[in-house]
Amino acid sequence: MQKMKTTAAQFTYPWQLCKTVHLVRHGQAMHNVEGDINREALLSPHLFDAQLSPLGLHQVGKLREDVHASGLLKRIELVVTSPLYRTMQTAFGVFGSTESNEDAGVNHPQIMAVELCRDRMGVRPCDMRRRVSECQALFPSIDFSMMDGEDDSLWNPHVRESEEEMAAQMVLFIKWLWTRPEQEIVIVSHGIMLQHILNVLKNDCHPTVRIDLCKRFGNCELRSVLIVDKSLKVADSQLCSPRNAAKENVLREEVSV
């Protein structure tokens, strides 16, 4: 488990304006395996919702051991996961209850699937209800209430999301995160989405930390950051399309690491 190095605190903020966020990339999935052989495989629609590889399952087991041993699981109040299979496997495998002896008396946090932190290239809207139904059967402890079963508002059937749209999506995701009452939260997502989250947060970060903070995530890597909302505004809880994000009055400088 990796923890980010931080510089000495220079300011004091009320605890209500702070959240501890643990960012986790999913374990190695089959599209990663195929992508190492042929990069074009990463764009295959057959591998978009890839499952974890045997190595990925091992990585998840190792991170679970680290999280339990460190006592981190006792502090986490909420786990937010992308609704894709590999991220839900990771979220449940690391933070979920297996009803085994090791979980006896352990209070496991709520796991919530949120569309805003899913990978680019979403599934077709007509497939969304079927996917959610299937995933609810496979992961009964995951809350899919944040998933819209009628429509995938973030999916474009003709164009893969641009870097700008993904960046805007992560700004909206951070806004949504501030509407949550929990103060210690895990986000299980995809490498590129985690990079964009950190890009949103890095503007007020000390230069000596910024390079380490924003480097590429490894599979099943965990990084922990303390974020501060300096806007003194109540975040908007409405989830809207990143294509409308340019119309939102969202300043990256209002959120800092």
Side-chain angles (χ1 to χ4, degrees):
M1 184 186 306
Q2 176 175 341
K3 293 185 178 180
M4 298 302 301
K5 298 179 181 179
T6 58
T7 56
Q10 300 178 22
F11 303 100
T12 301
Y13 296 100
W15 66 268
Q16 297 93 334
L17 301 181
C18 303
K19 289 185 185 294
T20 301
V21 179
H22 307 281
L23 304 173
V24 178
R25 183 187 176 195
H26 61 78
Q28 185 196 65
M30 294 308 300
H31 74 302
N32 299 130
V33 176
E34 296 297 327
D36 288 341
I37 301 171
N38 178 9
R39 295 291 295 176
E40 293 184 1
L42 296 175
L43 301 179
S44 169
H46 302 293
L47 291 173
F48 171 69
D49 204 11
Q51 299 186 23
L52 295 181
S53 68
L55 175 58
L57 292 171
H58 175 77
Q59 293 169 336
V60 166
K62 179 62 170 62
L63 183 56
R64 182 184 178 89
E65 292 177 359
D66 291 343
V67 165
H68 277 254
S70 68
L72 177 60
L73 187 66
K74 299 177 182 178
R75 305 196 308 270
I76 294 169
E77 301 169 78
L78 175 69
V79 176
V80 178
T81 179
S82 155
L84 295 186
Y85 200 88
R86 55 190 177 274
T87 44
M88 291 192 294
Q89 277 186 294
T90 302
F92 182 79
V94 175
F95 303 101
S97 173
T98 61
E99 300 183 355
S100 63
N101 291 334
E102 70 169 358
D103 285 341
V106 177
N107 183 29
H108 290 271
Q110 177 189 8
I111 303 178
M112 177 182 293
V114 176
E115 184 188 3
L116 272 176
C117 66
R118 67 135 171 89
D119 202 2
R120 69 201 303 186
M121 235 174 88
V123 298
R124 296 177 182 275
C126 60
D127 293 338
M128 183 59 70
R129 279 175 290 179
R130 177 180 56 79
R131 277 201 73 255
V132 170
S133 178
E134 291 175 351
C135 290
Q136 284 176 323
L138 291 169
F139 303 101
S141 63
I142 295 182
D143 180 4
F144 289 89
S145 62
M146 293 302 300
M147 295 295 299
D148 188 341
E150 298 295 331
D151 183 27
D152 184 349
S153 61
L154 305 184
W155 185 80
N156 187 318
H158 305 295
V159 181
R160 195 181 191 211
E161 295 99 318
S162 66
E163 292 287 335
E164 292 76 13
E165 286 174 328
M166 287 190 297
Q169 181 175 324
M170 289 304 98
V171 172
L172 292 177
F173 176 69
I174 294 297
K175 283 187 64 182
W176 173 82
L177 203 64
W178 282 112
T179 70
R180 297 296 309 180
E182 298 87 0
Q183 290 191 286
E184 188 141 0
I185 299 173
V186 172
I187 300 169
V188 182
S189 189
H190 311 267
I192 191 168
M193 309 315 288
L194 297 175
Q195 293 294 145
H196 280 294
I197 289 175
L198 291 176
N199 285 336
V200 172
L201 301 174
K202 73 179 182 181
N203 290 310
D204 200 32
C205 180
H206 194 281
T208 59
V209 179
R210 190 172 298 159
I211 295 177
D212 279 344
L213 180 71
C214 297
K215 67 184 180 181
R216 180 178 174 83
F217 274 76
N219 286 118
C220 241
E221 180 184 352
L222 182 152
R223 296 182 200 170
S224 302
V225 295
L226 179 68
I227 62 175
V228 180
D229 181 7
K230 298 190 296 182
S231 67
L232 299 180
K233 298 177 181 178
V234 178
D236 184 359
S237 63
Q238 296 297 316
L239 301 183
C240 59
S241 169
R243 295 174 178 82
N244 295 327
K247 301 177 183 178
E248 295 284 333
N249 184 22
V250 181
L251 300 180
R252 292 187 177 189
E253 289 77 12
E254 290 181 350
V255 185
S256 65
V257 175

